[in-house]
Amino acid sequence: MNNISVLMTCPMLEYLEKQLESRFNLFKMWNLSSSKPDFFKNHSGSIKAVVGDTTVGADSNMIDSLPNLEIVASYSVGLDKIDLEKCKDKGIKVTNTPDVLTNDVADLGIGLALAVMRKICVCDQFVKSGNWINGDLGLASKFSGKSVGIVGLGRIGSAIAKRSEAFNCHISYHSRSEKPNTNYKYYSNIVDLAANCQILIVACALTEETRHIVNRKVIDALGPKGILINIGRGACVDEPELVSALLEGRLGGAGIDVFENEPNVPEELFAVENVVLVPHVGSDTEETSKAMADLVISNLEAHFKGEPLLTPVT
């Protein structure tokens, strides 16, 4: 397969880059800089695969510029950076990396809830700054037994629910439709879900329907004692509304892994103690990153061997 040209859209895991280089004729788009127009002029016809991630996928312009593109492989479970409709229209295959990252992202969702409610980051800074000698920090809130509302009861949402059950939490959820074979309470209206939980965890994919699904009404329904956790996609939450609610005390706290304009983060949040911020690292463990890379490679190899894709999207 060394004669098959693959375009990698941005830096990803070094292991993935090396595996692609060993199997395909790999082009790295971030190395093209000012020569990008010349590159597409000279090589666009030879590229048959694109590998992207949550930063740069395959938008309409890229797809149109690659006339012989056959497959887009996402090093991510998310698909919001790929023009799926255009891929369908052109018969381009799309794959992603579900399942292998479910546990890591769910773990982080629970970890963020614990970090916010137990003030773990604040406590860490309290000890490291030497302030403990001056007195106690004060009380935090417990996580066990709280009511947890989950937005999106897919693979990751379900994994979060199971973990929350281990803490004796009451689970409810909102999704496009009620899920069979679950005892969790379903809310068809996300505002009602927020009004009836203490911790709201966003675990849904980003679509036109879920963009800013967590808006001012939802945040106000969650209220000044509520906690918002987002491990889905940044744009699922109306970020300016989230910031204002936190600064005005209309929301009790937040743990955020994903942001609307990554890597740009609202600076107003930097000094807010009841907020824990992490840089989109939900699946960033050595084990899972390698498993995701292997799945990308396996999908590409299956496609070019004429075999069924392991995780087809289109």
Side-chain angles (χ1 to χ4, degrees):
M1 296 185 184
N2 290 327
N3 61 335
I4 297 173
S5 294
V6 174
L7 178 64
M8 200 173 188
T9 63
C10 59
M12 300 175 207
L13 187 69
E14 183 179 0
Y15 170 80
L16 175 58
E17 291 184 27
K18 289 182 177 179
Q19 292 300 310
L20 288 169
E21 285 177 328
S22 68
R23 290 167 168 80
F24 303 99
N25 178 30
L26 182 65
F27 293 104
K28 301 176 184 180
M29 195 165 73
W30 65 97
N31 285 338
L32 304 177
S33 61
S34 60
S35 64
K36 193 177 297 185
D38 290 337
F39 168 80
F40 279 99
K41 180 180 179 180
N42 296 325
H43 299 283
S44 61
S46 67
I47 293 172
K48 294 186 177 182
V50 166
V51 175
D53 66 0
T54 57
T55 305
V56 185
D59 61 15
S60 177
N61 290 335
M62 178 179 291
I63 294 169
D64 284 338
S65 69
L66 302 174
N68 295 312
L69 182 63
E70 297 180 11
I71 183 170
V72 176
S74 179
Y75 177 63
S76 163
V77 70
L79 300 165
D80 49 285
K81 298 295 184 180
I82 301 172
D83 191 327
L84 293 177
E85 288 302 317
K86 178 147 285 190
C87 287
K88 289 178 183 177
D89 290 343
K90 289 180 170 283
I92 297 168
K93 306 280 187 173
V94 177
T95 71
N96 63 348
T97 59
D99 296 323
V100 293
L101 52 72
T102 296
N103 286 329
D104 275 350
V105 179
D107 288 350
L108 183 64
I110 298 299
L112 284 171
L114 287 166
V116 174
M117 301 187 76
R118 296 302 305 269
K119 300 183 179 179
I120 291 174
C121 296
V122 175
C123 289
D124 175 75
Q125 186 58 35
F126 183 73
V127 174
K128 289 178 177 177
S129 65
N131 285 330
W132 192 9
I133 198 170
N134 298 320
D136 292 336
L137 178 64
L139 299 177
S141 297
K142 69 185 297 182
F143 175 66
S144 295
K146 288 292 194 294
S147 56
V148 174
I150 301 172
V151 183
L153 200 69
R155 295 180 181 90
I156 294 171
S158 296
I160 290 170
K162 290 179 181 177
R163 285 158 173 74
S164 300
E165 283 187 292
F167 287 88
N168 295 316
C169 294
H170 172 73
I171 314 298
S172 54
Y173 72 99
H174 166 77
S175 62
R176 286 176 295 181
S177 59
E178 188 170 1
K179 304 297 183 182
N181 305 318
T182 177
N183 294 321
Y184 308 138
K185 183 172 178 58
Y186 172 66
Y187 287 94
S188 60
N189 187 312
I190 188 175
V191 176
D192 292 338
L193 173 68
N196 287 280
C197 70
Q198 296 162 294
I199 305 161
L200 186 67
I201 302 180
V202 181
C204 58
L206 179 61
T207 65
E208 286 307 310
E209 291 75 23
T210 62
R211 186 175 296 276
H212 289 184
I213 190 173
V214 178
N215 53 26
R216 186 183 180 103
K217 287 184 178 180
V218 174
I219 292 170
D220 285 345
L222 190 55
K225 292 185 178 181
I227 304 297
L228 178 69
I229 306 297
N230 189 6
I231 47 81
R233 283 292 180 267
C236 292
V237 175
D238 188 328
E239 208 164 78
E241 290 291 352
L242 172 63
V243 171
S244 64
L246 288 164
L247 296 179
E248 295 166 11
R250 292 185 287 109
L251 184 65
I256 310 170
D257 179 45
V258 288
F259 302 87
E260 192 157 9
N261 298 297
E262 297 175 0
N264 300 305
V265 177
E267 294 184 4
E268 301 96 318
L269 298 180
F270 292 171
V272 182
E273 285 193 345
N274 59 340
V275 177
V276 176
L277 310 174
V278 294
H280 201 154
V281 293
S283 61
D284 287 4
T285 65
E286 292 181 6
E287 299 89 344
T288 293
S289 295
K290 182 179 183 298
M292 291 168 62
D294 288 339
L295 188 51
V296 169
I297 296 295
S298 295
N299 273 310
L300 290 174
E301 290 185 331
H303 171 75
F304 290 114
K305 289 177 181 178
E307 299 172 354
L309 298 175
L310 282 73
T311 53
V313 176
T314 63

